[in-house]
Amino acid sequence: MKVQELPREQLIKAQTLGASTWQMALRVVTPQILPRLIDSLRLQLGPAWLFLIAAEAIASDSGIGYRIFLVRRYLAMDIIIPYVIWITLLAFLMDAGLRLLQRKAFPWFASVRAE
Amino acid sequence: MSGIRFDDVWKEYGDHIVLEQITLDVEPRAFLALVGPSGCGKTTFLRMLLGEESPTRGKILVDGVPLSPEPNADRGVVFQRYSVFPHLTVLQNVLLGRELQHAKIVSRLFGAARRAAVDEAMALLTEVGLAGQESKYPASLSGGMQQRLALAQAIIRGPKILLLDEPFGALDPGIRADIHVLMKRLWNETELTVVMVTHDLSEAFRLATRVIAFERNRNRPEERERYGATISRDLEIFPRRTAEVRQLPTFRSGRDDPAKQGA
C-alpha cells in the first residue's frame, strides 16, 4: 500500500523513458497504488461498521443501530437479530463489491500480489 | 551513437571509497562489457552513467557534454528485474515511451497519433519476437520474454546509450542464447552505444567489442575501506568487432540527428 514499496527500478525506468514527475505519478505510481487502496478499504470496512453502529446508538434518530438500541430495553431479540443479519449482509456485499471492482479494474494485480 | 568519456572519476560513500581513478574513453557504437567480482562497483559505475548517482570526483562526458544529473531519455536501461511495468500490457509497456514523449499532461495519445504509435510499437514487438503477445500482462510472460519486452521498451525512444544491468543473468542457457542473438541484432540495427554489466564471462566475450574488468588493487581487510576498485583489464576483442553500417532504419528513433554513415 506504500509508494515506497514500488521497486526503485521502475521509477528510474520511467525517467529513462522521458517521464516528468507528474507523468510518473499519473502513469506509474497511481495505477499501481489504486488496487492496494482497495485492499486497505476492505480492511477498514469492519471498523467503519463498528463505529457507524456505535454512533447511531449514541446520537442519531434513524438507522439500523438506532433501531437496535431503541428496542434493546424490551429485549426484543426477534427484531434485533434480523437487523444484525442485515448488517452482516450489507457489510459482506460491500466487501464482495470491492473485490469484484479490484478484479475487473485491475486484472494484472492478482499475479503481482502473489509474488 | 555517442562517445562516453570518464575523466578521473572517483566514487566515495562517506569514508568508503568504491571506485577510484576511472579514466576511460568509449568510442561511439561500442559494446562495452563490465566484469569483475561482486561488490567491486560495477553496478555503481553503471548507476553513475545512468545519472542515478553522481561521481564524487571527476567528470563523465557524453559527446563532450557533462552528463545530466538525472536519468533521462538519452539513456535507456534494462535491469535484471522490475524493468517492465506490471500494470501495463505488453503493447502499453512499449507505447509508454511515445506517450510520455508526446503527451506531456495526459500522458496518453488519441486518434491518428495513437494509431501511428501503435503501428510503431507493433513493428518493434515483431522485431523482438513478441508478436501475438501484445495484450498479455508481463506477469504471464516468461523471464526471457519479459527481458525482450524490456529491450523493446527501452529502445523505442531511441536512446543514445543503452545500459544493461545483468539483463540476462536470471535466464536459462537456451533462452539466453536466443536473446544474445536478438541483442546483437538490435545493437547492429540501431544507433546504440551499449554498456553491459555481467557476471558471465563467456557472455561478455561473445557480445562485446571491449571487455573491462574491475578489480581492487588492495584487498586486505584493513585496506578495503580506503582503496576502491579500478579498471584492471581493458581488453579489445580480437578479431575486432564493429557495429554494421546502418541499413534502412527499421523504425524511427524519434530523434532528428541520424547516425553518421559508417560511424
Side-chain angles (χ1 to χ4, degrees):
Chain A
M1 168 59 214
K2 288 189 211 124
V3 178
Q4 281 96 336
E5 280 171 13
L6 290 179
R8 208 180 140 62
E9 283 90 342
Q10 282 192 10
L11 301 183
I12 304 272
K13 179 84 191 196
Q15 279 185 306
T16 65
L17 294 176
S20 61
T21 307
W22 161 251
Q23 287 177 316
M24 276 196 278
L26 194 67
R27 289 303 304 274
V28 180
V29 177
T30 314
Q32 296 195 66
I33 287 305
L34 283 177
R36 293 171 172 89
L37 206 62
I38 292 182
D39 269 346
S40 108
L41 206 59
R42 282 179 57 204
L43 284 175
Q44 294 307 315
L45 271 183
W49 273 101
L50 188 72
F51 285 116
L52 175 72
I53 304 300
E56 282 179 357
I58 295 166
S60 172
D61 50 16
S62 63
I64 293 177
Y66 166 76
R67 292 182 185 199
I68 289 175
F69 274 76
L70 200 65
V71 297
R72 181 191 60 148
R73 65 191 74 161
Y74 310 117
L75 288 176
M77 298 310 282
D78 56 328
I79 298 172
I80 292 175
I81 295 293
Y83 277 138
V84 171
I85 291 171
W86 264 114
I87 292 171
T88 314
L89 188 69
L90 285 175
F92 179 81
L93 283 178
M94 285 169 92
D95 187 58
L98 285 172
R99 263 205 332 251
L100 187 73
L101 177 69
Q102 192 181 43
R103 214 170 43 241
K104 293 288 172 209
F106 311 99
W108 52 271
F109 186 64
S111 55
V112 170
R113 187 163 47 180
E115 276 178 14
Chain B
M1 222 338 265
S2 304
I4 311 164
R5 182 177 170 75
F6 285 80
D7 196 1
D8 194 25
V9 170
W10 292 60
K11 181 67 192 177
E12 301 164 18
Y13 292 108
D15 274 345
H16 185 192
I17 299 177
V18 180
L19 289 169
E20 58 179 45
Q21 294 177 343
I22 308 280
T23 299
L24 183 68
D25 261 308
V26 184
E27 61 276 26
R29 296 301 308 270
F31 195 131
L32 204 66
L34 307 175
V35 295
S38 320
C40 73
K42 300 185 299 272
T43 299
T44 307
F45 181 89
L46 200 75
R47 279 160 64 154
M48 284 199 293
L49 203 47
L50 188 57
E52 198 185 343
E53 309 237 4
S54 54
T56 317
R57 278 182 257 171
K59 283 196 298 267
I60 305 175
L61 305 170
V62 175
D63 288 337
V65 182
L67 201 66
S68 67
E70 285 262 318
N72 63 16
D74 284 346
R75 286 155 288 168
V77 68
V78 174
F79 296 105
Q80 187 172 2
R81 291 187 64 203
Y82 306 121
S83 276
V84 291
F85 298 107
H87 63 291
L88 299 175
T89 63
V90 169
L91 181 63
Q92 286 169 336
N93 259 299
V94 180
L95 269 184
L96 186 67
R98 281 279 175 259
E99 288 179 322
L100 294 174
Q101 181 182 14
H102 294 303
K104 289 291 174 205
I105 306 296
V106 289
S107 307
R108 281 177 201 279
L109 294 172
F110 302 98
R114 182 179 160 82
R115 278 195 297 278
V118 168
D119 287 345
E120 187 190 9
M122 290 302 294
L124 197 52
L125 282 173
T126 312
E127 184 91 347
V128 301
L130 284 176
Q133 317 274 342
E134 59 272 1
S135 55
K136 287 187 182 167
Y137 285 98
S140 57
L141 298 180
S142 67
M145 284 179 169
Q146 285 190 20
Q147 291 309 74
R148 280 165 191 269
L149 174 60
L151 282 172
Q153 185 187 39
I155 61 179
I156 195 166
R157 282 295 300 265
K160 298 178 191 165
I161 303 171
L162 183 63
L163 305 168
L164 308 172
D165 191 355
E166 297 177 29
F168 317 129
L171 308 179
D172 54 70
I175 307 282
R176 203 185 291 194
D178 288 348
I179 208 164
H180 283 167
V181 173
L182 170 68
M183 190 59 236
K184 270 212 139 127
R185 205 172 72 228
L186 290 178
W187 173 61
N188 277 316
E189 287 173 357
T190 58
E191 49 209 48
L192 294 169
T193 305
V194 183
V195 179
M196 176 174 77
V197 166
T198 181
H199 271 132
D200 183 351
L201 279 176
S202 69
E203 176 178 271
F205 282 96
R206 202 172 306 140
L207 288 175
T209 59
R210 193 173 165 194
V211 178
I212 305 273
F214 282 88
E215 217 164 349
R216 289 167 181 277
N217 292 328
R218 293 159 181 263
N219 212 4
R220 297 220 310 268
E222 67 274 23
E223 291 169 334
R224 282 194 77 107
E225 287 279 296
R226 296 303 294 163
Y227 291 90
T230 189
I231 294 173
S232 65
R233 294 272 190 289
D234 183 347
L235 308 169
E236 186 97 21
I237 301 292
F238 181 86
R240 207 167 165 193
R241 272 183 205 143
T242 42
E244 280 165 29
V245 178
R246 283 191 74 199
Q247 303 299 320
L248 286 174
T250 45
F251 64 94
R252 285 182 306 114
S253 75
R255 291 190 294 123
D256 42 13
D257 50 344
K260 284 194 202 79
Q261 284 304 309

